[in-house]
Amino acid sequence: MHDDRRITEQRLDRFVRERILPAIYGRAIPLQLSSWDVPGEPVPAAEALRQIFTPQEPGTAWGKAWSTKWLRLQGEVPQDWGMTDSTTVEIIVDLGFNSDVPGFQCEGTAWRSDGSIIKAISPRNYHVPLKLLGGGQSVDFYVEAAANPDVAQGWSFAPTPLGDKATSGDEPRYRLGRIAVAELNETVWELNQDIWTLSGLMHELPVEMPRRHEILRALERMLDVMDPDDVAGTAAAGRAELAQVLSRPAYASAHELLATGHAHIDSAWLWPVRETIRKCARTFSNVVALMDEDPDFVFSCSSAQQMAWMKEFFPELFVRIREKVKAGQFVPVGGMWVESDTNMPGGEAMARQFVEGKSFFLNEFGIECQEAWLPDSFGYSGAIPQIVKEAGSRWFLTQKISWNKVNRMPHHTFAWEGIDGTRLFTHFPPVDTYNAELHGRELAHAERNYRDHGRGTMSLVPFGYGDGGGGPTREMVAAAHRTADLEGSPKVRLGTAKEFFTKAEAEYTNLPVWVGEMYLEMHRGTYTSQAKTKLGNRRSEHLLREAELWCATAAVRLGEEYTYPADELKRLWRLVLLQQFHDILPGSSIAWVHQDAERNYEAIARDLEDIISHAARALVGEGDQQFLLNAAPHHRNGVPALGAARATTPESGDSPHPGVQVDELDEGYVLDNGIIRAVLNRDGLLTSLVDHASGRDAIAPGHTGNLLELFRDTPNEWDAWDIEEFYRRNVTPLTRADAIDVERSPGAVVVVVKRKVGASTIAQRLTLDAGAESLRISTTVDWQEREKMLKIAFPLDVRADRSASETQFGHVFRPTHTNTSWEAAKFEICAHRWIHVAEPGYGVAVSNSSSYGHDVTRAVRADGGTTTTIRTSLLRSARFPDPEADRGEHTLELTIRPGAEIADAVEEGYRTNLKPRFITGGQAVEPLLSVSNPAIVVEAVKLAEDGSGDVIVRLYESLGERSTGTLKANFECADAVSTDLLERPTEAPGVTVEEGSVVTLVLRPFQLVTLRLMR
């Protein structure tokens, strides 16, 4: 037989485009329009509906960027419309969409006149069924139209002013399209779904497969029997020709895809948080409307923050959502406050993501999420398995690892082993998207791509428009039903994530294991972009630690004289957790988002400083003695951990340490405090750094530390997100100082170095304190560069085959060599407060106060020694999505500590991030608890969430070795129990309560423990 496939396929495409699609809506009548333009930020519906609406001409331009227009739609439906079994009446509203980027352009929300929400109006979901308006033949409702600009601009990554309301312009960005009441021909609509499913399947089948040709000929017969001049009248006949090929059952061994509705709504990204709130309302109203039509449809919603917004701003919709939760259709998943970044949040913050998220879902819906749900975060810390398990969850889902540029993950279903040995059942959907439409192409890819055939038989498919919201459509649900049991296709079944995980876990028992972090081989620049956002996060985490510690201490020590501010602390925690969303903290959002984040961080700091001050003053009472409040988990200057006492510091006038000597030589300066000796040349570069205990020089021969390096930073795409390896080939070392000076005081010597590079100025303060074991370096930059990256380098005389980087509740080792493509891909890595390199018997630690990006390289010198270089990334200057990213003044602090072990690095990290806090009062403050072994680090002290007044202590083994010790409560303690993160009793290996106030700890490496000390 002659091969006429392409002829028939072309015929089909044109017939669908020119005949079927126009016939879906038969008759249509324009509606009468009136409008009101919101003068500023969006207003609640109740306020908008009270305004005076003036006549609105159809087809007019509207909507400067980020503005809102309210439309009133009125008209009458002819009596004979929608009277047959195959027709119904809908209102179609085109706000000026294009169909390419749902969620990234103008959107609307339909409202009834009583202020209740109907559903969304969006590019691929622009219909409103007449029955949703309350019945009758009259049309009278409102559309809240949001002129959100398309910041993505076709993903050209070109700088755009659209991300800042102040620069986005006043010109209208859209033009109203057809707004009419129309008669929907359901038979034509169903025929279009039949064709879409079969054509998609056909194109994925091999040409030599009979099934492909069977579908082609059925489609050809359909084209033959239909009259192009009477599509509505012949659609039923066309469907009949396709019925047989649609009824053929799937192969017995076909892969099973559990499809769960989803809308990955970024809580901020190319739109501000205020718009995300409206996006959620649009999406969730769509979802609820779909559920009313199809009881089989199930939707997975992952963010407690988004549900909290619905409760606050859209209470009527929230009531409807709660009803669908009870019906099992609207299903909370994930159990986190937001889908956060997992690389940069601190340990306690990651724990609180689950505490707040799971608690909200439990309290509001009676649902405990069992899966962690992070499809789009930019890599996954090796600490996550333990945190998820400690939160009482069992499973983990991600999708983003499919973006890896070099190495492909070897499994789709596997056990993920964390840094402490915890294993977590993990699934990585082979469909390679969290925005599936259930097209034949996606389904076939999921089946072909699945790497665990022969062991597992099923995978998960989250479907629905996401990122900018929208969610599933009725077309997607129709596709799911048609592919439930269809020859040549995987079997698609609508269901919940829990159903998938339960069945997959039962069938696939001998799982392969992935150990350690899941490093994303993209988006490495997110460790550095938007430095002020990162500084705000780090500062907020540590202020929250201090606030909870001192408030809990005051509540226990003072009893009824002091009230623990539980509600205020929860509010502030939730605000911090929101900023950790995976497009806010990573610095990958528009300017508006980061301006909001910086304002939030300022307010958080102000409120927490007030809380800390109030609690501290209550604790120390009246007096004229100066006390150091030591919130660190290690003693500091004679003050015990977690307590307050007079400090043996130069500030207290009672220092046991000698002062700092400084000698000025022709070649530079020598600083020595009897513990370390630092030599700086006349350009402020560190030529030598010796700790007197070992006598070793940490700086490699022939090299200089404190070397600022300016790199060209022009990634191929995703500017704020990505750093490409080739950045290293274009570097300018900043070796010359414009000025250098020395400042002396009784307790410290400071070398001040000033430099200029391009349009930027840099001032550094290198400080050696009396009694300090590290050199402090504060770098203040007026940063005016574009597409450049600033790093600070320390070439060390250390033969290190791996580096250690702090992560949540521990640290992760990474090779310094590039033997394999997996290692070579990690050319930029994330570390929290410190990074450490060592050879047996000697190491060096570099700590920081707000940086996360680092790289570690190694080279063998001519003398046979090895130079291991630690670089901390300080600043970037990407131009998309924020063209002014990071421009302005920044202060970035770090320390370098020679002769340091891991324990020293841990201590140095806390010391750098918990600055000395002095207060004047009348009495010292005994710590609420004491831990005998400094390897066991107390991460949080707070009062219990249940309001009982019990003290909650979170601690972890910090050195990566088996550590033993005791925790003693220094207050009247009735009993102690171990709990999970949600403070529910649980068994914790190695935890033994000796008596009410003493707990014996025998902890495995990096083990995380939560204790409830009952008062």
Side-chain angles (χ1 to χ4, degrees), residues 641-653:
L642 315 178
R646 294 195 64 197
T648 53
T649 64
E651 289 88 345
S652 70

Side-chain angles (χ1 to χ4, degrees), residues 950-1012:
D950 292 344
V951 175
I952 301 296
V953 182
R954 192 129 43 234
L955 51 84
Y956 67 100
E957 198 290 318
S958 66
L959 304 185
E961 61 190 38
R962 185 172 296 275
S963 294
T964 63
T966 58
L967 179 146
K968 182 179 183 298
N970 300 320
F971 60 93
E972 190 172 340
C973 181
D975 199 2
V977 295
S978 57
T979 73
D980 65 8
L981 294 181
L982 273 67
E983 301 170 13
R984 301 172 297 195
T986 187
E987 291 295 324
V991 177
T992 304
V993 179
E994 301 295 341
E995 53 183 85
S997 61
V998 177
V999 180
T1000 297
L1001 303 166
V1002 182
L1003 304 185
R1004 67 178 182 271
F1006 303 132
Q1007 183 178 346
L1008 173 62
V1009 172
T1010 304
L1011 298 171
R1012 177 190 287 264

Side-chain angles (χ1 to χ4, degrees), residues 39-117:
E41 282 292 279
V43 300
E47 180 179 342
L49 299 182
R50 294 196 300 265
Q51 305 303 315
I52 297 174
F53 283 66
T54 57
Q56 170 71 56
E57 286 295 318
T60 57
W62 72 281
K64 70 176 183 179
W66 306 113
S67 66
T68 300
K69 174 186 281 291
W70 280 80
L71 296 168
R72 186 175 186 182
L73 286 58
Q74 294 174 290
E76 295 293 326
V77 181
Q79 290 294 326
D80 62 335
W81 282 22
M83 300 303 291
T84 68
D85 291 341
S86 63
T87 60
T88 188
V89 178
E90 297 184 340
I91 294 84
I92 51 178
V93 183
D94 180 358
L95 297 175
F97 311 123
N98 67 67
S99 62
D100 296 335
V101 281
F104 293 86
Q105 54 182 296
C106 62
E107 304 171 65
T109 310
W111 294 86
R112 298 181 186 89
S113 58
D114 65 0
S116 61
I117 195 169

Side-chain angles (χ1 to χ4, degrees), residues 755-824:
R755 309 178 195 276
K756 187 172 178 63
V757 56
S760 303
T761 57
I762 304 173
Q764 286 189 301
R765 295 178 62 83
L766 293 88
T767 304
L768 184 60
D769 292 302
E773 296 171 287
S774 60
L775 179 69
R776 285 195 288 127
I777 303 174
S778 176
T779 303
T780 298
V781 186
D782 181 9
W783 185 240
Q784 300 297 331
E785 305 311 297
R786 297 184 186 273
E787 298 181 302
K788 297 291 189 293
M789 178 166 54
L790 184 67
K791 285 176 171 268
I792 186 169
F794 296 95
L796 305 172
D797 189 14
V798 177
R799 183 170 174 79
D801 59 358
R802 62 183 185 175
S803 64
S805 299
E806 187 188 34
T807 189
Q808 298 93 357
F809 304 119
H811 54 267
V812 58
F813 288 109
R814 300 182 181 98
T816 57
H817 59 74
T818 55
N819 282 356
T820 71
S821 59
W822 291 90
E823 291 142 1

Side-chain angles (χ1 to χ4, degrees), residues 22 77 110 173 215 248 330 419 487 492 586 593 630 661 735 842 866 979:
V77 181
R173 307 204 67 82
I215 294 172
R248 289 284 189 90
F330 197 109
I419 58 174
E487 183 184 356
V492 176
V593 171
N630 181 17
Q661 292 184 336
T735 56
Y842 183 82
T866 298
T979 73

Side-chain angles (χ1 to χ4, degrees), residues 555-575:
V556 173
R557 295 285 181 236
L558 304 176
E560 295 181 358
E561 297 178 27
Y562 178 84
T563 301
Y564 187 78
D567 292 343
E568 182 68 357
L569 289 169
K570 181 178 288 291
R571 179 187 70 81
L572 292 167
W573 259 117
R574 287 181 171 183
L575 188 54

